[in-house]
Amino acid sequence: MRLFTTVAALRCYLNLCQSKPQIETNSLSVSIGLVPTMGALHEGHLSLIERAKRENDVVIVSIFVNPLQFAPTEDYQSYPRTLDRDRSLGQQAGVDAIFAPTAEELGVNEKLSSRTSVLPPPSMTSVLCGKSRPGHFQGVATIVSQLLNIVQPNKAYFGQKDAQQVAIIRRLVKDLSFNVEIVTCPTVREASGLAKSSRNQYLTPEQTAQAGVLYRSLQLSKLAFQAGERDSKVLKGIVNKELATVKSVAVEYVELVEPNTLMPLEKIEEQGLLAIAARIGEARLIDNVVLKVRQPIVAIDGPAGAGKSTVARQVAAALGLVYLDTGAMYRALTWLVLQSGIAIDDESAIAQVVSSCSIQLTSSTQLDRPVRVWINGEEVTQAIRSLEVTANVSAIAAQKAVRMALLQQQQSWGLKGGLVAEGRDIGTHVFPDAELKVFLTASVSERARRRQQDFQTQEQVDCTLEQLEQTIKERDRADSTRELAPLQKAPDAIEICTDGLSINQVTEKIINLYHKVLI
Ligand code: AMP
């Protein structure tokens, strides 16, 4: 693992990384993941690093105690600085390089007004923690923008614990068109429920035990929400009542806001961020929970030939959910491209067409009826099954802009929920907050046997089992290492090996899991 303290050295390192071909993944470009931190690394940070490791070729962790985000009365001087320990933790976690610049290196002194800064919408920075920490989020936005500009990562990783920070960063990335994907990772907690934080070091053991009340109060409110409560006053009241049971807790705020805009909510219509800030002794602690009204999402991933699409269709029909037929969506985009007379290899022109189109799907609960599809208002259910579309769909689906356009469409449907989606990265990338994630596998020999049976029923060329096994192994390797949407099992996915199981048995297993998860 390397340690860099200057922008020039880090840039040089990143350039060298970019110029090395990725022999293992056989890809031409190197993906970079950035995990911005203030150091004093703990399991929360390590979870971000692990995720970044899984999803990128190179992982950079920045460690910078940013003076711009501390008010004069705050703990800038006493904030824990443990670079040696952080280095060994980074090394163990497989980080490629730590970037630990000085304030001077980033052109920062304690005054925000003496340099160029990034000003997120005041409606987002003046609420929640912004009320008591004026200038804090402007300081965060400025340095995060600078880090994104220095590292130019493909993905940058942030923790849900700092929900306001994530919302503001997502907004600045959108508003300033940064070419980066922001990945939010779940909050890592102590056994007591206390969110891990570098500032937990300020707590005595007794206070640490007391601090579990933050999480407990949020969970109580979540229970009420799950029982149908939607009113902000009631949900916040439950949190306040529980917090009041611990004398040492000085509540700064308990708020319910819309998670993306951070606008206060009187009632939850779609989703709400219930957030707390409180002081215990020397420590200022924050925590939150997202309450979603949306119907559940079932994500089914797995290698080719494990029976995903048939199972997904059946599960959706049995549970009355919409089957999100991604294949049909790619076909619709292909139809649109062909219709527009654009050459299949003109990626920029294709990007232009697909980034502004809209797709609608309705699924019937009758399994023998195809999903109906519209693109830009025109029904294309039949047209997308043409030979011309079939011949071109995989070339179109392999283009990054097409994947991005589709991801946006899928995620916008995900807001309402109530769907089953299958693919390679649904549980990790498309719907990382799906209520149920299933990873369907089958042994190579089983998949080869199934493929051979299919060939035989379709009276197609006969292949030996050995040949089929070889092709399947190669396909698995290509799918897991491909640059775009590689096959990934989410850490919280439940694996079902379908060897020896019929489609109906697999469907039944998933339905049972669904009922268990959703109690
Ligand atoms: P910090 O070093 O506190 O600025 O945190 C660096 C990143 O780690 C931020 O994106 C935080 O949201 C994230 N983080 C801190 N604590 C946790 C935690 N307990 N679980 C998950 N992420 C966390």
Side-chain angles (χ1 to χ4, degrees):
M1 189 190 70
R2 307 292 299 265
L3 171 70
F4 299 109
T5 55
T6 70
V7 176
L10 180 69
R11 282 207 166 128
C12 178
Y13 173 79
L14 290 169
N15 283 338
L16 287 172
C17 288
Q18 292 289 10
S19 62
K20 276 191 211 140
Q22 290 294 291
I23 297 156
E24 232 173 71
T25 57
N26 205 12
S27 80
L28 295 174
S29 65
V30 171
S31 57
I32 295 170
L34 170 67
V35 182
T37 80
M38 296 206 299
L41 301 185
H42 51 69
E43 278 99 334
H45 299 117
L46 294 177
S47 74
L48 271 53
I49 294 172
E50 266 164 38
R51 172 103 190 247
K53 282 285 297 172
R54 280 204 303 276
E55 298 182 354
N56 300 277
D57 301 315
V58 174
V59 172
I60 309 292
V61 172
S62 64
I63 296 183
F64 181 60
V65 185
N66 172 17
L68 299 179
Q69 66 188 67
F70 287 81
T73 50
E74 292 182 346
D75 56 345
Y76 176 65
Q77 297 301 340
S78 58
Y79 194 86
R81 289 166 172 84
T82 56
L83 188 56
D84 287 342
R85 189 170 167 274
D86 292 348
R87 277 177 83 168
S88 71
L89 285 173
Q91 171 94 40
Q92 282 164 31
V95 170
D96 294 280
I98 286 182
F99 177 51
T102 58
E104 295 73 50
E105 179 65 18
L106 295 191
V108 173
N109 60 30
E110 270 156 54
K111 268 214 219 109
L112 201 54
S113 58
S114 64
R115 55 162 286 153
T116 305
S117 69
V118 175
L119 185 63
S123 60
M124 299 183 83
T125 56
S126 61
V127 292
L128 306 175
C129 294
K131 271 192 190 153
S132 65
R133 308 188 75 185
H136 170 76
F137 289 108
Q138 196 178 339
V140 171
T142 300
I143 290 303
V144 170
S145 303
Q146 194 168 354
L147 290 169
L148 291 176
N149 203 26
I150 294 168
V151 179
Q152 312 250 327
N154 300 70
K155 296 186 183 185
Y157 296 80
F158 295 87
Q160 173 62 25
K161 183 180 78 87
D162 299 272
Q164 184 172 14
Q165 172 171 284
V166 178
I168 291 172
I169 288 166
R170 284 187 179 278
R171 182 65 191 267
L172 85 81
V173 160
K174 182 165 177 275
D175 287 352
L176 300 180
S177 307
F178 273 100
N179 192 11
V180 64
E181 183 184 333
I182 300 300
V183 180
T184 312
C185 303
T187 303
V188 176
R189 301 173 180 284
E190 307 282 357
S192 67
L194 172 64
K196 300 218 179 218
S197 160
S198 309
R199 289 191 168 100
N200 291 354
Q201 297 182 18
Y202 302 156
L203 297 168
T204 64
E206 196 191 347
Q207 289 168 337
T208 307
Q210 292 166 346
V213 71
L214 269 70
Y215 178 67
R216 212 163 54 238
S217 67
L218 291 169
Q219 289 306 302
L220 283 174
S221 197
K222 185 175 173 183
L223 280 179
F225 170 77
Q226 284 167 339
E229 185 57 66
R230 298 287 181 265
D231 186 81
S232 170
K233 278 200 191 102
V234 179
L235 293 166
K236 291 192 296 192
I238 295 170
V239 176
N240 277 312
K241 192 170 164 212
E242 185 63 18
L243 291 175
T245 61
V246 180
K247 289 236 161 45
S248 57
V249 175
V251 178
E252 189 181 294
Y253 68 75
V254 174
E255 297 282 5
L256 182 73
V257 299
E258 204 290 322
N260 300 309
T261 62
L262 306 179
M263 297 299 273
L265 292 178
E266 280 181 16
K267 200 172 161 242
I268 303 182
E269 307 276 358
E270 278 186 357
Q271 51 177 351
L273 172 75
L274 185 57
I276 304 176
R279 283 184 180 278
I280 300 187
E282 294 293 299
R284 181 180 182 279
L285 304 172
I286 55 172
D287 205 346
N288 66 80
V289 65
V290 179
L291 305 173
K292 288 186 183 166
V293 177
R294 69 144 211 235
Q295 281 187 282
I297 294 179
V298 180
I300 304 180
D301 290 300
K308 283 173 304 185
S309 57
T310 323
V311 167
R313 211 176 272 269
Q314 289 203 8
V315 169
L319 294 173
L321 303 174
V322 171
Y323 167 55
L324 191 61
D325 188 341
T326 0
M329 294 167 79
Y330 281 119
R331 282 175 172 272
L333 291 178
T334 306
W335 177 87
L336 184 67
V337 169
L338 293 170
Q339 193 71 7
S340 320
I342 299 169
I344 294 298
D345 58 357
D346 188 348
E347 289 203 21
S348 329
I350 292 176
Q352 183 138 306
V353 169
V354 300
S355 58
S356 57
C357 79
S358 96
I359 303 175
Q360 272 95 43
L361 291 181
T362 58
S363 81
S364 83
T365 41
Q366 284 159 289
L367 287 171
D368 49 352
R369 291 260 182 89
V371 170
R372 289 180 71 187
V373 190
W374 288 260
I375 191 156
N376 292 341
E378 186 170 348
E379 179 162 8
V380 291
T381 312
Q382 296 303 324
I384 62 169
R385 303 287 154 193
S386 74
L387 284 176
E388 203 190 2
V389 169
T390 306
N392 288 295
V393 66
S394 54
I396 298 270
Q399 297 183 13
K400 191 169 179 190
V402 174
R403 292 255 163 201
M404 293 300 289
L406 213 64
L407 180 69
Q408 269 176 13
Q409 297 254 338
Q410 290 168 328
Q411 289 182 335
S412 70
W413 283 320
L415 292 177
K416 284 208 191 81
L419 48 91
V420 180
E422 48 85 17
R424 289 191 298 258
D425 63 347
I426 305 288
T428 49
H429 194 216
V430 183
F431 300 124
D433 59 352
E435 278 73 10
L436 175 62
K437 296 180 191 173
V438 173
F439 196 76
L440 276 195
T441 60
S443 62
V444 172
S445 55
E446 171 83 9
R447 285 188 281 150
R449 201 183 51 72
R450 288 179 192 165
R451 178 85 53 91
Q452 196 178 44
Q453 253 176 10
D454 285 348
F455 282 159
Q456 282 161 358
T457 43
Q458 291 162 15
E459 291 176 10
Q460 286 190 12
V461 230
D462 214 358
C463 295
T464 66
L465 276 175
E466 288 71 31
Q467 284 168 328
L468 286 170
E469 283 184 12
Q470 199 50 39
T471 323
I472 289 172
K473 276 187 200 152
E474 270 158 31
R475 169 89 193 260
D476 281 355
R477 203 193 61 81
D479 278 352
S480 316
T481 53
R482 60 199 297 153
E483 243 172 284
L484 275 174
L487 172 65
Q488 280 173 342
K489 180 181 168 208
D492 51 347
I494 299 167
E495 184 163 334
I496 301 179
C497 177
T498 62
D499 281 17
L501 296 177
S502 68
I503 293 284
N504 286 346
Q505 285 171 320
V506 179
T507 304
E508 210 176 290
K509 270 183 183 266
I510 297 179
I511 292 169
N512 286 339
L513 284 172
Y514 178 88
H515 291 307
K516 261 197 215 147
V517 168
L518 283 144
I519 303 172

